[in-house]
Amino acid sequence: MSLIERVSRATVCLHLAPHGMDGVLRRAGRPVAGSAFHLPILNPDASWEVALASLRGWLEQHNEKKLPLAVSLASRWCAMLMVPWSGALLERNSAQRFLHSQFAAVYGDGARAWRLAADDAPYGKPRLACGIDAALLQDVQEAAAAHGRRILSIEPIVGPAWRSIAGGKPAAFALVEAGRLLLATTSGGRISALHSQSCGAAWGDELDRAWRRWNLRAPQLDAIEHVALLDLSGVPQDDLSGRFQPLPVAGAAHLMREAAWA
């Protein structure tokens, strides 16, 4: 790709969640002013099929330009797990068998229908892995293809969230979405451990309690004084614990950086 093509390239970044779809146009790695949008989704059961129907409708209405898509998915539809190192991870087929065994041990046999992927942590180190329903991934890909769109990436929102703040090298961060919160520690520029759970609209107290419960299982967290906080819940909280340091977030789609698809 030439320098001119890279500088002028535009991508539509989309975030698909149970109750809304967010998007923004990025050009040369930067959000284009005035391009952000939010599409509410009536979806009481938080079904990905309902959310996908909204994606199809949006693609149908915005079919004039065939700009490529970078898609992030809500944590509700993405099972995350730190898996131990295994030599099986060095070969594609054996890696899938190993990952399926790890996810099935935690999430049950239903995990065998998921598409699994792990990061490329250094040899011998635990790896962050993600499982997403294979049907969801296939349907997103088919919806885009039906409208002549190329998908550059599909990933859990935690990936863009971490990349957006990694330059600040926080020792830990919290990601809060509607109905879901995730806590993670970081080391060497990577996520090194995580905890995920459901939460209510009044998530402030739950966030603090979740950290303290996690601390009981992982006493090393005592050394972490500040936790970067990314709030995508749409329900800001008052009187948060001083441990959590809110960071400005324009929207879920804005978290996606060029590193996700360059």
Side-chain angles (χ1 to χ4, degrees):
M1 178 180 293
S2 71
L3 178 61
I4 292 177
E5 288 174 321
R6 177 173 287 275
V7 170
S8 63
R9 184 175 60 180
T11 297
V12 179
C13 296
L14 298 176
H15 176 65
L16 197 60
H19 305 296
M21 186 173 75
D22 292 275
V24 67
L25 177 66
R26 296 187 78 94
R27 190 183 301 278
R30 295 179 178 275
V32 175
S35 67
F37 69 89
H38 173 73
L39 176 65
I41 300 174
L42 182 60
N43 188 7
D45 295 326
S47 161
W48 63 258
E49 289 90 346
V50 173
L52 189 64
S54 294
L55 171 62
R56 290 193 182 102
W58 183 86
L59 289 169
E60 181 68 34
Q61 295 173 13
H62 299 82
N63 204 29
E64 65 283 355
K65 293 183 179 180
K66 306 295 185 181
L67 295 176
L69 307 175
V71 181
S72 65
L73 301 174
S75 296
R76 183 185 183 95
W77 300 321
C78 304
M80 308 296 295
L81 197 62
M82 295 299 304
V83 300
W85 167 256
S86 168
L89 293 168
L90 297 176
E91 197 275 322
R92 182 173 181 177
N93 291 332
S94 61
Q96 282 296 297
R97 290 193 296 270
F98 174 73
L99 291 175
H100 273 114
S101 69
Q102 293 291 310
F103 274 80
V106 175
Y107 295 102
D109 286 341
R112 299 191 183 280
W114 298 348
R115 187 80 60 81
L116 305 177
D119 71 3
D120 58 348
Y123 183 93
K125 299 292 185 180
R127 296 193 171 187
L128 177 64
C130 176
I132 302 174
D133 191 316
L136 168 57
L137 289 178
Q138 181 176 335
D139 283 358
V140 171
Q141 292 166 340
E142 290 179 351
H147 293 88
R149 301 272 194 155
R150 183 164 60 100
I151 291 187
L152 301 172
S153 64
I154 303 175
E155 61 181 326
I157 186 61
V158 67
W162 166 235
R163 287 195 299 274
S164 74
I165 63 174
K169 299 182 179 179
F173 71 94
L175 174 66
V176 182
E177 304 163 73
R180 198 83 194 164
L181 66 83
L182 181 144
L183 298 167
T185 59
T186 69
S187 177
R190 298 178 180 276
I191 294 174
S192 56
L194 57 81
H195 166 80
S196 180
Q197 67 176 64
S198 59
C199 67
W203 52 264
D205 289 339
E206 292 185 62
L207 181 62
D208 190 47
R209 288 197 298 270
W211 179 267
R212 286 188 275 112
R213 285 196 302 271
W214 196 22
N215 198 170
L216 293 175
R217 304 193 305 273
Q220 65 271 22
L221 298 182
D222 273 337
I224 299 176
E225 296 182 1
H226 300 297
V227 180
L229 172 61
L230 297 167
D231 176 17
L232 302 179
S233 71
V235 187
Q237 305 289 295
D238 296 324
D239 301 322
L240 283 170
S241 165
R243 181 190 310 276
F244 300 100
Q245 306 291 307
L247 298 177
V249 182
H254 286 75
L255 294 176
M256 304 186 75
R257 300 295 180 94
E258 188 166 357
W261 40 265

